[in-house]
Amino acid sequence: SKVRIVRENVVVLELGTLQTLKRFKDEVSEVVAGQECGMQFAGFQDIRVGDVIECFNVETVARTL
């Protein structure tokens, strides 16, 4: 997944990559909303309290007439 990290209404990471997602000690592909998990981002280690993490997928859609 791609990741955007927003700190105090300023985007500090745009189109980052979610490298690892863990639930307890197991690596998982998704986590249910409201449950705790661990995340690691490729090339970014500066997570602070209050940061908003947005995960999303980028899709390419062919145009039709």
Side-chain angles (χ1 to χ4, degrees):
S1 294
K2 294 295 182 182
V3 177
R4 177 181 302 118
I5 299 176
V6 181
R7 181 179 297 145
E8 297 175 3
N9 296 322
V10 176
V11 176
V12 293
L13 178 66
E14 180 74 31
L15 291 178
T17 303
L18 179 62
Q19 187 173 358
T20 307
L21 179 63
K22 290 192 175 188
R23 176 86 176 122
F24 297 109
K25 292 186 179 186
D26 301 324
E27 215 169 292
V28 295
S29 60
E30 62 183 39
V31 176
V32 178
Q35 293 184 345
E36 293 183 6
C37 65
M39 297 180 181
Q40 184 175 11
F41 308 105
F44 188 81
Q45 301 295 322
D46 187 29
I47 298 295
R48 298 183 186 167
V49 174
D51 285 355
V52 176
I53 301 170
E54 301 172 352
C55 297
F56 57 93
N57 293 321
V58 177
E59 297 179 2
T60 303
V61 179
R63 251 182 2 181
T64 59
L65 294 175

